């Protein structure tokens, strides 16, 4: 290998009988684990961890096991495994549901509670120790004039490895390693909400997506991984990145290992026959001069790219294409924020609330700026600030009724409208509003799930996380 | 070659079939055994059941040839030709000359070519066109002979357990096949791939173990030949029971199948048979359900199981439409239902949400355990230890361990069932958490470890399946309460659904779940 090729980011495309074998082969192809891990190193493995849902909502644990065993060959000082979550719950709650800490202990690694939720209880809170704990465990860094807290464990690790589970996703086609790295930041720094801004401008220029891509690349620059692994062996296709009714676990048998996240992600997209210019994160990286610019700037090892391209079923890109019994979706112009939330709302309905849908009969869901005016006969759900504000003068806001005695026609306000505010709306609040609006008798499944979440620590966990994040 | 016990019984069946006894009087005939089992049956009834079941599951064309070959597939040991005027009804047979076909020229591995040539030769010499062949290796006959030797003395349970074990052995070792291949053989071939050995026999023994004591009769109605099954699971002692099965032709009872309404019919049989309950089912519904099962392929798609469950639940709710029961359960009494409704309980079993229940349960399963998972199930049998205070028991697995399996699913398909009783037995003192932890060292991450007592499964089976429409509310509530007790049912890691079950009061839980399981309207 000459000096010139050595400087290029390396990406190995491996196809194998098992994910573990694919990882071993991939690492060998890019130089072997000893090239990346040295004796006495502290390693942080950033896994995928989205929500309290099974694989592939988190990384393939057999693959993590293999990665740990390979790292251990180099005799490191310590191996940490962890991630912040995609949803607002504590890592401790996730650990209670899956017992990751116990599993990784068997493997000789430590599963870390990046949100310090292990200590996040009343005792610490009252004594004020929680603040000290936060100062000890988090470091404040400045990015684009904003202060961001990041776990020191990640910043101070000698070697940072990004192990990403690839699933389809409504934004950016699929979950790439760059997005996985984004969750080294606490949830509050990843959330985008708009309050008084000009909504039309946000929608027109899709500021949500623009801001999201910018923040993802910023997070990447905080700590670049020495190794990036995109696990495509099993890919969640059809609907994702969570497990929904339309989700299918495709076995592609591919795994990509590389030295540069952007190079690995680019090749991942190309392998799945996806256009890299449609991916806003890659575009943002290229615009900012980060990562390889041309395919020739990447050294591809292992299988050839051209001969192994395969297709996956992506998520629906139009909300009206998510076919659900009794809900008709009418979309105006919307930003990625509202699209993302509405996408999950509709898929949750389709997966878990089938009985409720049958009871609710016909419903119209309106999203975005200036959705089409519709007949007021069926209940109307207005999703998001844009839909609420731009339909104030719509005909369906008023209905005509006959007076009881004289039977004269009278125009009254249509009360059969449910407004779900927010920019974008919060899904938990949406479900609470839906239950109140339709009643628990017509929404038995939703009533059960809300009761389940209230009784089993999800709400407490949410509160604990909020308290922790608010500590200055 | 085949054992006398089988041969003599088979000859009796053929003799009876030949006499076309359907025209004769049924009661006068000496009972025969259903081939390969110890169950006695009237030969005329067997004749008509063969006429219904054989065409449905094996082959619906006439004339069959049985071939016994050497284990190395080099020699044709015996060829028997059955001329069947009606598909499946064996009336006469001929032993054909072994050199009818040269195996060296037409090896059995090239099955289609072999069968076509065999068909040609038989037609040339005997003017009979055979529709299918059943091929046994000599070893299969030896295995069957060992089993048939003592069949008269074998109990029903042992007989069924042995036959399941033999079927599995013969299919697994490819000692028997039918050409053209049938769904039922394909089903067994694929089913046994889930586990390494003795799946069918273990499954049967397990079902027997969890079966609660009962004494039921079933009138199976069929246009051609209705019959009555009387099944009793008699309790021998607290942990053992004895299964007994009797089959009677419906004509042997003083009933009029065509004239009377179902309730009077069942009442009359109920008095004569002295059972706890008597049910009426249509034979074609049972056969359709069985066909659905035999269409399952490996790896078994959980969506197909979901569909099957939906059909099964639809059947359950269709009381007095597709099936009948006597004495009629109180659950269908509108006054009682109204009374329950006043207290907030919807208990209209005719509105059982057959379409939603499997959908709801499977969506919970996929959500929490993912699309690729490994589940450890430990069965305990705490009924053996009646003197122990179970509430104070810290590790029920240690004293009550019965068996353990590891189940693997991938992309909504059941891919593997691994029996791991021996391994778990060695480490049962570690408790559920410890056993899971220890097993993870070898098997990798285990998404869920679950321990459940056989007595609880038995209660669930009794209260929510077998007597689902009995108005035994207290017994049903007691079973739910049992479900909340850690020594009967426990999971690790604690999933939210499990915590919810434990934390929610029984009445409150029923009020939350009933609206999901019972529809407001009939859809």
């Amino acid at each position: 290998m000459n000096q010139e090729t050595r400087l290029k980011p390396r990406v190995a495309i491996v196809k194998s009988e098992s994910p573990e074998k694919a990882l071993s082969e991939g690492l060998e192809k890019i130089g072997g684990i000893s090239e990346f891990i040295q004796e006495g190193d502290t390693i942080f493995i950033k896994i995928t961890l989205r929500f309290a849902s099974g694989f592939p909502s988190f990384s393939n644990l057999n693959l993590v096991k293999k990665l740990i065993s390979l790292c251990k060959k180099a005799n490191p000082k310590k191996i940490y495994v962890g991630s912040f979550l995609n949803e607002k719950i504590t890592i401790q709650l996730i650990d209670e549901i899956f017992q990751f800490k116990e599993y990784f202990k068997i493997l000789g690694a430590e599963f870390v509670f990046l949100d310090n939720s292990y200590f996040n209880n009343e005792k610490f809170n009252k004594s004020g120790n929680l603040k000290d704990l936060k100062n000890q465990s988090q470091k404040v860094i400045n990015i684009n004039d904003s202060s961001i807290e990041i776990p020191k464990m990640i910043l101070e690790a000698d070697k940072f490895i990004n192990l990403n589970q690839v699933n389809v996703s409504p934004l950016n086609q699929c979950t790439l390693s760059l997005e996985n790295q984004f969750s080294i930041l606490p949830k509050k720094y990843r959330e985008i909400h708009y309050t008084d801004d000009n909504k039309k401008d946000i929608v027109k220029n899709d500021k949500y997506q623009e801001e999201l891509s910018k923040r993802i690349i910023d997070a990447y620059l905080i700590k670049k991984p020495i190794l990036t692994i995109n696990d495509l062996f099993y890919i969640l296709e059809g609907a994702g990145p969570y497990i929904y009714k339309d989700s299918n676990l495709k076995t592609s048998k591919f795994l990509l290992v590389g030295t540069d996240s952007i190079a690995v992600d680019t090749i991942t997209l190309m392998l799945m026959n996806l256009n890299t210019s449609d991916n806003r994160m890659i575009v943002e990286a290229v615009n900012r001069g980060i990562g390889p610019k041309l395919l020739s700037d990447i050294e591809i090892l292992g299988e050839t790219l051209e001969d192994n391209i395969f297709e996956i079923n992506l998520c629906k890109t139009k909300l009206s294409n998510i076919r659900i019994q009794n809900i008709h979706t009418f979309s105006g112009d919307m930003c990625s924020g509202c699209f993302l939330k509405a996408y999950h709302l509709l898929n949750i309905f389709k997966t878990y609330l089938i009985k409720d849908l049958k009871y609710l009969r016909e419903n119209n869901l309106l999203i975005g700026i200036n959705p089409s005016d519709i007949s007021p006969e069926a209940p109307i759900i207005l999703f998001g600030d844009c839909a609420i504000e731009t339909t104030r003068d719509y005909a369906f806001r008023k209905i005509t009724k006959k007076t009881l005695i004289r039977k004269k026609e009278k125009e009254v306000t249509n009360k059969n409208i449910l407004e779900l505010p927010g920019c974008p709306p919060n899904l938990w609040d949406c479900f609470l509003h839906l239950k109140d609006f339709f009643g628990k008798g017509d929404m038995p499944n939703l009533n059960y799930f809300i009761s389940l979440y209230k009784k089993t620590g999800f709400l407490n966990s949410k509160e604990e996380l909020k308290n922790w994040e608010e500590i200055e | 070659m085949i054992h006398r016990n089988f041969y003599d019984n088979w000859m009796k069946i053929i003799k009876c079939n030949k006499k076309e006894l359907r025209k004769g009087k049924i009661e006068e005939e000496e009972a025969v055994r259903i081939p390969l089992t110890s169950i006695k049956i009237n030969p005329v009834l067997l004749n008509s059941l063969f006429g219904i079941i054989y065409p449905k599951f094996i082959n619906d064309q006439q004339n069959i040839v049985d071939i016994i070959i050497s284990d190395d597939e080099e020699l044709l040991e015996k060829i028997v030709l059955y001329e069947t005027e009606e598909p499946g009804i064996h009336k006469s047979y001929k032993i054909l000359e072994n050199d009818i076909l040269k195996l060296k020229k037409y090896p059995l591995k090239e099955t289609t070519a072999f069968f076509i040539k065999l068909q040609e030769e038989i037609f040339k010499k005997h003017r009979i066109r055979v529709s299918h062949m059943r091929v046994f290796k000599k070893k299969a006959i030896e295995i069957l002979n060992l089993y048939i030797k003592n069949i008269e003395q074998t109990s029903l349970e042992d007989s069924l357990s042995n036959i399941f074990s033999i079927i599995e052995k013969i299919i697994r070792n490819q000692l028997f096949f039918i050409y053209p291949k049938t769904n039922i053989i394909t089903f067994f071939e694929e089913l046994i791939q889930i586990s390494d050995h003795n799946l069918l026999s273990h499954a049967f023994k397990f079902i027997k173990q969890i079966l609660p004591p009962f004494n039921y009769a079933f009138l199976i109605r069929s246009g051609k030949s209705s019959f009555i099954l009387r099944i009793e699971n008699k309790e021998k002692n607290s942990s053992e029971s004895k299964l007994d099965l009797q089959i009677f032709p419906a004509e042997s009872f003083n009933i009029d199948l065509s004239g009377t309404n179902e309730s009077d019919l069942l009442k009359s049989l109920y008095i004569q048979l002295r059972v706890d309950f008597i049910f009426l089912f249509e034979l074609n519904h049972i056969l359709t359900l069985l066909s659905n099962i035999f269409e399952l392929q490996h790896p078994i798609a959980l969506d197909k199981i979901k569909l099957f469950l939906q059909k099964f639940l639809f059947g359950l709710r269709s009381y007095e439409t597709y099936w009948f029961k006597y004495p009629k359960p109180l659950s269908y009494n509108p006054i009682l239902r109204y009374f329950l409704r006043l207290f907030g309980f919807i208990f209209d079993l005719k509105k059982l949400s057959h379409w939603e229940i499997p959908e709801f349960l499977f969506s919970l399963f996929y959500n929490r355990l993912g699309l690729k998972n490994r589940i450890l199930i430990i069965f305990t049998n705490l009924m053996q230890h009646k003197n122990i205070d179970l509430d104070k028991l810290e590790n029920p697995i240690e004293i009550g361990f019965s068996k353990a399996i590891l189940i693997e699913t991938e992309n909504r398909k059941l891919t593997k069932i691994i029996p791991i009783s021996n391994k778990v037995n060695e480490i049962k003192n570690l408790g559920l958490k410890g056993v899971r932890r220890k097993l993870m060292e070898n098997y990798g991450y285990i998404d869920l470890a679950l321990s459940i007592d056989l007595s609880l499964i038995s209660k669930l089976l009794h209260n929510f399946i077998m007597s689902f429409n009995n108005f035994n509310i207290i017994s049903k509530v007691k079973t739910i309460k049992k479900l909340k007790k850690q020594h009967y049912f426990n999971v690790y890691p604690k999933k939210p659904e499990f915590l919810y079950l434990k934390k929610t009061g029984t009445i409150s839980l029923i009020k939350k779940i009933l609206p999901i399981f019972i529809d407001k309207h009939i859809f």
Side-chain angles (χ1 to χ4, degrees):
Chain A
M1 214 175 281
N2 60 39
Q3 191 60 31
E4 192 195 344
T5 52
R6 260 281 173 238
L7 292 171
K8 283 182 178 181
R10 282 161 283 160
V11 178
I13 304 173
V14 194
K15 190 174 189 181
S16 195
E17 281 313 301
S18 74
E20 296 92 315
K21 219 171 149 199
L23 179 66
S24 300
E25 289 171 18
L27 279 170
E28 275 311 309
K29 287 199 171 20
I30 58 166
I33 194 79
S34 54
E35 190 177 315
F36 304 96
I37 312 285
Q38 276 77 46
E39 192 174 345
D41 276 349
T42 304
I43 304 165
F44 189 95
I45 302 173
K46 164 70 183 74
I47 57 166
T48 302
L49 200 56
R50 295 196 176 93
F51 188 54
S53 188
F55 176 79
S57 287
F58 50 71
S59 292
N60 183 341
L61 295 177
N62 291 335
L63 192 65
V64 188
K65 181 182 175 181
K66 185 70 190 176
L67 180 60
I68 291 170
S69 83
L70 288 169
C71 288
K72 279 167 83 177
K73 282 184 185 166
N75 203 15
K77 187 179 167 193
K78 185 93 188 166
I79 303 172
Y80 295 109
V81 181
S83 171
F84 279 106
L85 293 160
N86 269 23
E87 302 303 322
K88 279 183 177 174
I89 49 171
T90 59
I91 299 167
Q92 190 190 4
L93 182 70
I94 288 291
D95 189 54
E96 279 167 14
I97 297 171
F98 296 104
Q99 294 294 334
F100 289 137
K101 199 168 180 71
E102 187 185 24
Y103 179 66
F104 288 121
K105 199 176 170 186
I106 297 170
L107 307 180
E110 187 183 339
F111 179 70
V112 288
F113 295 68
L114 294 177
D115 58 3
N116 290 88
S117 48
Y118 193 61
F119 302 101
N120 193 4
N121 59 36
E122 227 175 300
K123 194 176 127 197
F124 276 92
N125 219 347
K126 274 181 186 165
S127 62
N129 283 350
L130 210 56
K131 194 174 176 182
D132 295 342
L133 187 66
K134 197 169 187 181
N135 290 336
Q136 281 164 24
S137 61
Q138 315 277 313
K139 188 176 178 183
V140 179
I141 60 165
N142 287 312
I143 298 174
N144 301 327
D145 303 328
S146 347
S147 300
I148 292 177
E149 290 161 347
I150 298 196
K152 285 182 184 169
M153 201 172 271
I154 294 175
L155 291 173
E156 289 165 8
D158 298 316
K159 300 290 155 62
F160 177 66
I161 300 173
N162 184 348
L163 171 56
N164 173 50
Q165 167 63 41
V166 179
N167 291 348
V168 288
S169 168
L171 295 186
N172 294 316
Q173 303 147 319
C174 59
T175 52
L176 295 174
S177 73
L178 286 170
E179 198 181 326
N180 188 41
Q181 176 148 358
F182 193 34
S183 45
I184 61 167
L185 303 184
K187 178 71 181 163
K188 74 168 179 179
Y189 300 113
R190 284 178 280 144
E191 276 187 323
I192 301 170
H193 282 289
Y194 296 98
T195 46
D196 302 324
D197 302 72
N198 181 348
K199 297 279 191 303
K200 281 192 179 163
D201 183 45
I202 294 167
V203 170
K204 195 180 166 195
N205 299 309
D206 200 356
K207 294 258 182 192
Y208 182 94
Q209 177 71 285
E210 190 185 306
E211 178 65 20
L212 185 69
S213 306
K214 196 173 133 297
R215 289 195 198 180
I216 288 173
I217 298 300
D218 287 343
Y220 168 64
L221 295 174
I222 293 170
K223 180 106 181 170
K224 283 191 182 180
I226 49 137
L227 270 176
T228 300
I229 302 154
N230 268 347
D231 180 12
L232 291 85
F233 197 93
Y234 297 105
I235 310 171
L236 192 72
E237 62 167 6
Y242 304 109
I243 301 163
Y244 291 128
K245 193 173 185 174
D246 295 336
S247 304
N248 175 52
L249 195 68
K250 185 187 174 97
T251 310
S252 79
K253 298 192 175 180
F254 280 103
L255 186 131
L256 274 74
V257 193
T259 54
D260 179 284
S261 295
I262 292 163
V264 173
D265 286 351
T266 306
I267 302 299
T268 300
L269 290 171
M270 292 172 83
L271 190 64
M272 292 190 289
N273 206 17
L274 299 172
N275 197 344
T276 48
S277 59
D278 290 343
N279 190 293
R280 294 284 292 265
M281 290 183 301
I282 301 291
V283 172
E284 173 75 17
V286 171
N287 289 346
R288 286 165 69 171
I290 303 158
K293 283 171 188 57
L294 301 165
L295 190 59
S296 55
D297 292 340
I298 305 167
E299 186 187 350
I300 300 174
L301 303 155
E303 306 284 337
T304 58
L305 180 61
E306 306 77 41
D307 301 333
N308 288 290
I309 289 170
F310 64 92
E311 306 271 343
I312 56 162
N313 289 327
L314 294 173
C315 298
K316 299 271 186 281
T317 48
K318 278 187 178 174
L319 294 173
S320 52
N321 289 345
I322 304 171
R323 298 263 171 233
I324 305 179
Q325 187 186 13
N326 290 340
I327 289 193
H328 307 286
T329 313
F330 299 90
S331 310
D333 293 333
M334 71 183 106
C335 72
S336 299
C338 256
F339 169 74
L340 186 66
K341 297 283 180 177
Y343 170 88
H344 288 302
L345 179 92
L346 291 174
N347 273 296
I348 290 170
F349 257 109
K350 194 172 183 175
T351 311
Y352 303 108
L353 310 176
I354 300 168
K355 185 163 212 172
D356 306 12
L357 283 171
K358 220 159 189 170
Y359 286 163
L360 296 183
R361 306 221 176 114
E362 298 289 299
N363 279 282
N364 296 313
L365 179 71
L366 271 62
I367 311 163
I369 291 176
N370 299 326
S372 47
D373 200 352
I374 50 162
S375 153
E377 279 158 24
I380 296 166
I381 304 165
L382 298 171
F383 187 83
D385 289 349
C386 290
I388 296 168
E389 283 162 24
T390 57
T391 58
R392 294 254 182 248
D393 306 325
Y394 274 33
F396 64 69
R397 292 279 187 175
K398 301 272 181 205
I399 49 168
T400 48
K401 266 190 175 177
K402 283 185 178 172
T403 55
L404 198 61
I405 300 164
R406 293 188 179 174
K407 304 283 178 197
K408 272 188 177 175
E409 283 203 339
K410 190 175 114 182
E411 203 167 64
V412 293
T413 307
N414 183 2
K415 288 184 179 165
N416 217 4
I417 297 174
L418 170 66
E419 294 185 347
L420 301 173
C423 183
N426 173 305
L427 281 188
W428 173 252
D429 294 339
C430 289
F431 287 120
L432 293 178
H433 286 309
L434 281 162
K435 187 191 146 196
D436 290 342
F437 184 75
F438 291 106
K440 64 179 182 185
D442 276 345
M443 301 206 85
N445 286 21
L446 182 62
N447 185 35
Y448 162 77
F449 283 112
I450 288 176
S451 172
L452 174 88
Y453 277 53
K454 278 182 179 171
K455 273 206 169 171
T456 53
F458 279 84
L459 286 193
N460 288 345
S461 163
K462 215 173 179 175
E463 199 58 33
E464 277 176 14
L465 190 69
K466 196 179 157 203
N467 291 341
W468 167 260
E469 285 183 344
E470 277 173 0
I471 296 169
E472 293 293 327
Chain B
M1 192 177 260
I2 190 88
H3 195 276
R4 196 96 228 143
N5 279 351
F6 179 87
Y7 182 80
D8 290 349
N9 188 59
W10 187 236
M11 285 303 120
K12 269 190 211 168
I13 295 169
I14 289 179
K15 200 176 136 199
C16 293
N17 288 350
K18 203 173 186 175
K19 279 161 72 184
E20 291 183 278
L21 285 167
R22 267 166 295 167
K23 292 166 195 163
K25 279 197 172 178
I26 235 166
E27 311 89 81
E28 288 166 11
E29 289 308 316
E30 190 195 342
V32 291
R33 271 183 287 108
I34 295 176
L36 302 176
T37 74
S38 60
I39 304 164
K40 293 267 170 103
I41 188 169
N42 179 290
V44 182
L45 177 61
L46 184 68
N47 173 300
S48 33
L49 287 181
F50 252 86
I52 297 168
I53 295 167
Y54 197 93
K56 178 102 183 162
F57 296 118
I58 310 285
N59 196 300
D60 59 0
Q61 300 297 311
Q62 292 162 305
N63 308 326
I64 308 154
V65 64
D66 272 354
I67 302 172
I68 300 171
I69 55 161
S70 60
D71 294 335
D72 56 8
E73 296 186 9
E74 294 281 322
L75 282 173
L76 291 172
E77 300 272 346
K78 197 169 187 178
I79 308 173
V80 184
L81 172 68
Y82 292 98
E83 205 174 340
T84 58
E85 275 172 40
E86 288 174 54
I89 298 179
H90 300 62
K91 273 169 72 172
S92 64
Y93 72 97
K94 272 180 202 164
I95 296 176
L96 306 185
E97 54 283 18
N98 288 355
D99 59 354
I100 194 164
L101 219 63
K102 292 276 174 282
L103 272 176
K104 280 198 177 143
K105 201 171 174 192
Y106 298 100
L108 210 63
K109 277 188 185 109
E110 288 162 31
T111 318
T112 311
F114 173 87
F115 180 67
I116 291 169
K117 190 66 193 166
L118 184 74
Q119 251 183 341
E120 274 175 25
E121 292 299 320
I122 292 174
F123 189 73
K124 229 188 276 174
K125 288 178 185 160
H126 304 276
R127 310 307 296 171
I128 293 170
R129 182 161 293 277
V130 291
S131 61
H132 61 293
M133 62 175 180
R134 302 180 294 212
V135 182
F136 299 81
K137 277 192 185 168
K138 228 173 143 185
K139 180 92 181 149
I141 303 295
E142 284 166 20
I143 295 169
L144 281 170
N145 280 348
L146 266 179
Y147 155 71
I148 295 163
K149 200 164 67 179
N150 300 317
I151 194 125
E152 298 275 7
Q153 292 80 43
T154 318
S155 70
L156 175 68
E157 284 142 71
D158 291 343
S159 157
L160 293 175
S161 166
N162 290 342
I163 196 66
F164 279 126
S165 166
I166 287 166
I167 288 172
E168 185 163 342
K169 200 184 255 178
I170 285 175
I171 291 178
R172 209 181 273 282
N173 298 310
Q174 295 173 326
L175 302 176
F176 167 74
F177 69 88
I178 297 176
Y179 185 86
K181 210 169 184 181
T182 62
N183 268 357
I184 190 164
I185 298 290
T186 313
F187 167 75
F188 281 120
E189 277 176 359
E190 306 221 334
L191 184 72
I192 57 178
Q193 284 182 47
I194 294 172
S195 185
D196 289 340
H197 65 281
N198 262 344
L199 175 83
L200 302 177
S201 163
H202 282 152
F204 171 75
K205 281 180 188 161
F206 177 74
I207 293 167
K208 170 67 193 55
Q209 205 175 356
I210 58 166
L211 220 51
F214 65 92
N215 183 14
Y216 293 164
F218 301 86
L219 167 60
I220 312 294
R221 195 160 61 178
S222 160
K224 277 186 185 173
S225 42
S226 300
F227 62 98
I228 291 150
L229 278 176
R230 183 191 172 150
I231 310 176
E232 187 177 8
N233 191 32
K234 209 186 275 178
E235 200 167 10
K236 272 162 67 181
N237 54 50
S238 60
S239 59
E240 261 188 284
S241 61
K242 187 179 176 288
L243 197 65
D244 188 34
L245 186 144
Q246 289 168 293
I247 307 172
F248 313 101
E251 290 92 330
S252 61
F253 289 85
N254 187 21
I255 48 166
D256 176 15
L257 278 166
S258 53
T260 17
N261 74 30
E262 283 82 3
S263 182
D264 293 343
L265 185 67
L266 289 179
K267 189 179 175 184
S268 155
L269 280 170
Y270 176 75
I271 295 163
Q272 293 179 63
L273 285 162
R274 292 183 186 171
V275 286
D276 301 339
F277 284 100
I278 180 155
F279 300 82
L280 190 156
F281 292 106
E282 297 291 338
L283 182 62
N284 61 341
H285 293 157
I286 297 173
L287 296 181
T288 310
L289 204 68
L290 286 173
S291 295
N292 285 328
I293 296 175
F294 295 147
E295 278 163 17
L296 294 174
Q297 288 176 338
H298 177 75
I300 296 173
L302 296 179
D303 280 350
K304 286 208 169 162
I305 295 181
K306 187 165 81 181
L307 193 67
F308 174 77
L309 274 176
Q310 284 175 333
K311 286 181 183 173
F312 175 74
L313 292 172
F314 181 73
L316 270 190
R317 81 174 222 175
S318 305
Y319 175 67
E320 289 186 329
T321 307
Y322 294 131
W323 62 283
F324 298 83
K325 182 178 180 181
Y326 187 87
K328 187 173 177 171
L330 278 173
S331 308
Y332 298 101
N333 185 323
I335 299 166
L336 272 175
R337 281 211 317 267
Y338 176 73
F339 189 69
L340 282 175
R341 190 137 200 170
L342 285 180
F343 289 94
F345 298 100
I346 307 159
F347 194 64
D348 191 346
L349 296 176
K350 287 197 175 177
K351 290 178 187 166
L352 187 77
S353 202
H354 67 282
W355 55 279
E356 164 69 2
I357 297 170
E359 197 75 54
F360 175 76
L361 297 176
F362 276 86
S363 65
L364 285 186
F365 176 85
Y366 297 137
N367 173 40
R368 207 57 78 199
L369 299 173
L371 293 181
K372 184 169 167 44
N373 52 47
R374 193 174 285 128
I375 301 157
L376 165 71
I377 306 178
I378 298 175
F379 299 99
T380 58
N381 191 357
L382 294 168
M383 293 311 283
Q384 296 167 334
H385 307 275
K386 283 210 157 172
N387 303 328
I388 297 172
D389 183 356
L390 295 175
D391 288 326
K392 287 179 185 163
L393 203 61
E394 277 184 17
N395 181 8
I397 296 169
E398 189 170 13
I399 64 151
F401 177 74
S402 170
K403 49 181 78 69
I405 50 168
L406 203 59
I407 295 176
E408 290 180 358
T409 79
E410 187 178 315
N411 198 19
R412 299 185 168 101
K413 288 187 179 82
L414 176 65
T415 50
K416 202 95 192 143
I417 299 177
I418 310 164
I420 48 163
S421 296
N422 293 341
K423 280 180 190 156
V424 175
N425 198 28
E426 286 166 18
I427 50 172
K428 61 186 182 185
N429 59 316
L430 300 174
L432 188 64
K433 187 178 168 182
V435 169
R436 174 182 176 264
R437 191 191 152 90
K438 197 79 191 159
L439 289 176
M440 283 202 299
E441 290 172 13
N442 289 333
Y443 292 97
Y445 184 74
I446 294 173
D447 297 79
L448 184 76
L450 180 154
S451 76
I452 186 160
D453 194 65
L454 293 174
S455 67
L456 175 62
I457 303 178
S458 180
K459 284 275 174 210
L460 288 168
L461 185 67
H462 179 253
N463 284 313
F464 295 101
I465 306 280
M466 290 168 71
S467 312
F468 96 104
N469 57 3
N470 285 9
F471 196 71
N472 51 351
I473 301 259
I474 295 171
S475 180
K476 284 185 168 79
V477 169
K478 271 187 182 170
T479 307
I480 295 172
K481 279 190 172 170
K482 211 171 175 182
L483 204 60
K484 286 147 124 354
K485 290 192 174 168
Q486 193 152 312
H487 46 267
Y488 288 124
F489 178 56
N490 195 13
V491 303
Y492 186 82
K494 307 274 183 228
K495 302 290 174 192
E497 292 72 18
F498 176 77
L499 288 175
Y500 185 73
L501 174 78
K502 297 266 171 188
K503 285 181 178 176
T504 315
T506 308
I507 301 297
S508 173
L509 185 74
I510 294 170
K511 278 190 176 175
K512 277 267 166 7
I513 297 295
L514 271 182
I516 299 173
F517 284 9
I518 309 272
D519 288 339
K520 280 208 289 191
H521 329 284
I522 291 180
F523 289 112

